[in-house]
Amino acid sequence: MSIFDDFGKSLSQLGDPRFMSVVLKAIGLTLATLILVSIVFVWTLGLFLPETLTLPWIGEISFVASVVSIAAIFLMFGLSIFLMIPVASLIVGFLAEDIADAVEDKHYPGLPDVGRLSWSEIFGDSLKFLGLVILANLVALVFYLFTAVFAPLVFWAVNGLLLGSEYFHLVAARRLGSAGARALRRKHFGHIWMAGFLMAIPLSIPVLSLLVPVLGVATFTHIFHRVNTSA
């Protein structure tokens, strides 16, 4: 069995109505978050733009704010490549248990039920991880600037490490507790990082990235059960 086999099983479950309902929730929440961020960005930009602009030999231009606002929307679409990483980390925190439950019910029947985290715990953990993702990418920005050719690899490596570790921990902690999840994650660190790296690549592709958070958690659910069995 390999990471690609695990991903294949996750992909094949898209026909499962229960699984697809989680996918649709994730897509809806992701789009809503990106749209909200875009609206706030454009609105904030509009606060600092003049209604009109006077240029030499041209005269007064009255649609400056509108033109810049439209340009800002396209800019946000481009920035969504980078925004998808923190957005995915936030959204998945709220849906990870539903995804893992759907995968386990189909592929690993007979497992004992696990307790669910409260909304306050989920929200707190999601915000902490979101902060870590943003901080790590701000630090990595220095490397992006000085390693232009290899910047995508650095981007995928950094976020693959973060997302892989977090997604695996979310899934494993349900069955093993936080201490057990950390121990298993350390034992299979390289394998988990590689899976996270492969997941970070499509996360930087617009539209396709909408499916990745759910498929990522589903894949890490399979990875967890595979490595936990062999542990």
Side-chain angles (χ1 to χ4, degrees):
M1 294 292 289
S2 68
I3 295 170
F4 296 103
D5 294 321
D6 297 327
F7 177 73
K9 287 191 287 187
S10 301
L11 199 60
S12 68
Q13 200 170 344
L14 285 174
D16 179 350
R18 180 180 174 190
F19 191 77
M20 181 53 71
S21 70
V22 182
V23 171
L24 294 176
K25 284 180 188 176
I27 291 175
L29 287 171
T30 301
L31 286 174
T33 303
L34 290 174
I35 290 171
L36 179 61
V37 170
S38 298
I39 290 172
V40 172
F41 177 75
V42 171
W43 177 78
T44 303
L45 195 61
L47 294 177
F48 299 95
L49 291 174
E51 289 296 327
T52 60
L53 180 65
T54 302
L55 297 177
W57 299 294
I58 296 177
E60 187 177 272
I61 300 175
S62 60
F63 53 88
V64 174
S66 298
V67 171
V68 175
S69 295
I70 293 172
I73 292 173
F74 285 100
L75 174 63
M76 286 302 301
F77 181 78
L79 289 176
S80 68
I81 294 173
F82 301 96
L83 288 174
M84 269 307 303
I85 298 291
V87 169
S89 69
L90 181 64
I91 298 302
V92 163
F94 292 96
L95 298 175
E97 289 186 287
D98 291 335
I99 300 166
D101 284 343
V103 171
E104 289 178 343
D105 287 349
K106 180 177 177 62
H107 294 277
Y108 310 96
L111 290 173
D113 293 335
V114 293
R116 298 181 70 87
L117 295 175
S118 66
W119 280 103
S120 60
E121 290 176 301
I122 293 173
F123 187 69
D125 289 344
S126 296
L127 284 182
K128 287 178 186 176
F129 182 59
L130 176 62
L132 177 61
V133 168
I134 293 173
L135 178 61
N137 277 280
L138 287 175
V139 173
L141 183 61
V142 177
F143 295 94
Y144 301 156
L145 296 176
F146 288 99
T147 58
V149 176
F150 300 104
L153 291 177
V154 175
F155 178 79
W156 294 330
V158 169
N159 288 287
L161 174 62
L162 292 170
L163 293 174
S165 297
E166 178 67 9
Y167 281 27
F168 184 84
H169 186 84
L170 283 171
V171 173
R174 299 167 64 252
R175 297 286 171 188
L176 304 178
S178 291
R182 284 194 294 270
L184 191 63
R185 186 177 64 193
R186 284 194 297 269
K187 183 176 181 179
H188 299 279
F189 176 79
H191 190 69
I192 292 168
W193 189 356
M194 177 56 66
F197 180 87
L198 293 173
M199 182 179 69
I201 295 174
L203 262 177
S204 57
I205 302 174
V207 181
L208 180 61
S209 60
L210 295 174
L211 287 172
V212 175
V214 175
L215 292 175
V217 173
T219 300
F220 274 102
T221 302
H222 290 296
I223 291 174
F224 161 70
H225 286 289
R226 175 160 53 82
V227 300
N228 190 44
T229 301
S230 62

